Amino acid sequence: LPNDQKSWEIEAYPLLLAEVRRALGPQKVISAAVPGLKRDMLAFTHQTVPRIMRYVDFLNVMTYDLMNRRDNVTKHHTGVKLSLEAVDAYIAAGAAPERLNLGFAFYVRWFKTEHEACAKASPIGCPTPQLEDPQTGADLGRGGAFAWHDPVPANLVDSFSRALRQGTYDEEDGGYYYWDPSEDIWWTFDTVDAIKRKFPAILKRRNLGGVFAWALGEDAPRFEHFSALKYGLKDFLKEKEEL
């Protein structure tokens, strides 16, 4: 359904939350997972966010999949700059920073790229082929994702191995990435180091309330990313208490 046929949902959403709160009472915790991309924040405006915050205890901002198959240039799917833009949008619309949780992704994303353009300039912001059918929204198979507990797809094993060995961290926009020129693949994901960097770069800068991740089981069996998140949060909260 096109957005113009769903615009009634913008007004209906805070009304729904009000009914849920009335039904459950003041003692139950209510949270909501909310979009991380501005183009998806149609229901989260200066008019609706203050009303929404009356009925929820906190929002989980989905600061991942910030590059997806509706894009046509490479970005960090869970990068620092785009994550800051997301939380800033909710703060500007009326959400208190301490009632926002930052989202983390325990999975890897990859996308095919246009070789010539990426080879001539920075692989960050270089064009991709069309990733989604513009009429049906169908996945055209030129990008995808897999969790840390998943077997790496056979056709991606070699390229992903290079991404782990040769990838780098983008100090400007904040995100681990690798562009594989031999297979024209853009890799974007959080390493343990990238997770640790987000606490001073985002949570401390914006005084956010906490974190969440999608999803715990996806980090099995080693749970390295979960451990980095857990200890990073522990140190962050300890520092807040000491201030």
Side-chain angles (χ1 to χ4, degrees):
L1 291 175
N3 285 335
D4 61 4
Q5 295 183 31
K6 298 185 291 184
S7 59
W8 63 271
E9 296 180 10
I10 296 174
E11 177 62 23
Y13 186 57
L15 297 176
L16 170 65
L17 290 173
E19 291 295 330
V20 172
R21 176 56 77 190
R22 275 192 285 270
L24 295 179
Q27 301 304 318
K28 300 296 184 182
V29 174
I30 300 176
S31 65
V34 295
L37 283 167
K38 287 187 178 181
R39 68 189 181 210
D40 296 330
M41 298 180 189
L42 303 181
F44 300 90
T45 68
H46 291 84
Q47 290 75 36
T48 60
V49 167
R51 294 170 60 199
I52 289 167
M53 300 308 296
R54 292 178 203 163
Y55 308 116
V56 300
D57 294 275
F58 55 87
L59 298 178
N60 290 328
V61 185
M62 295 185 287
T63 43
Y64 44 77
D65 295 338
L66 301 178
M67 178 181 179
N68 58 50
R69 65 178 189 247
R70 283 184 287 160
D71 289 298
N72 55 20
V73 297
T74 58
K75 300 187 293 184
H76 303 297
H77 98 87
T78 181
V80 169
K81 181 180 179 181
L82 293 175
S83 295
L84 281 169
E85 289 179 4
V87 297
D88 285 348
Y90 287 99
I91 294 170
E98 62 272 17
R99 294 174 66 192
L100 299 177
N101 289 338
L102 186 72
F104 289 76
F106 292 164
Y107 56 88
V108 173
R109 296 219 64 159
W110 64 274
F111 301 90
K112 295 293 287 185
T113 61
E114 298 287 357
H115 180 82
E116 293 301 325
C118 292
K120 290 179 180 178
S122 169
I124 303 169
C126 76
T128 69
Q130 193 165 63
L131 302 171
E132 178 180 275
D133 187 298
Q135 300 301 320
T136 67
D139 186 352
L140 296 177
R142 297 166 182 159
F146 55 87
W148 293 106
H149 84 290
D150 291 335
V152 180
N155 63 318
L156 297 173
V157 168
D158 291 342
S159 184
F160 182 53
S161 179
R162 289 189 287 272
L164 292 173
R165 296 194 315 270
Q166 302 175 31
T168 190
Y169 189 84
D170 175 11
E171 297 287 350
E172 183 174 349
D173 291 341
Y176 183 90
Y177 74 96
Y178 176 68
W179 179 61
D180 185 347
S182 62
E183 300 192 43
D184 297 324
I185 297 177
W186 165 258
W187 293 95
T188 168
F189 53 90
D190 270 349
T191 61
V192 166
D193 175 67
I195 288 172
K196 292 177 180 178
R197 288 171 180 254
K198 288 183 177 180
F199 285 91
I202 304 175
L203 279 96
K204 185 176 180 179
R205 281 176 71 182
R206 294 298 186 266
N207 193 32
L208 301 186
V211 301
F212 76 104
W214 185 274
L216 178 59
E218 296 191 351
D219 200 35
R222 300 173 69 177
F223 296 104
E224 293 177 336
H225 304 83
F226 172 68
S227 293
L229 188 60
K230 179 176 68 172
Y231 290 113
L233 180 63
K234 182 179 179 181
D235 291 343
F236 170 69
L237 294 177
K238 181 179 178 180
E239 186 176 344
K240 285 184 70 172
E241 291 175 358
E242 292 173 348
L243 293 176

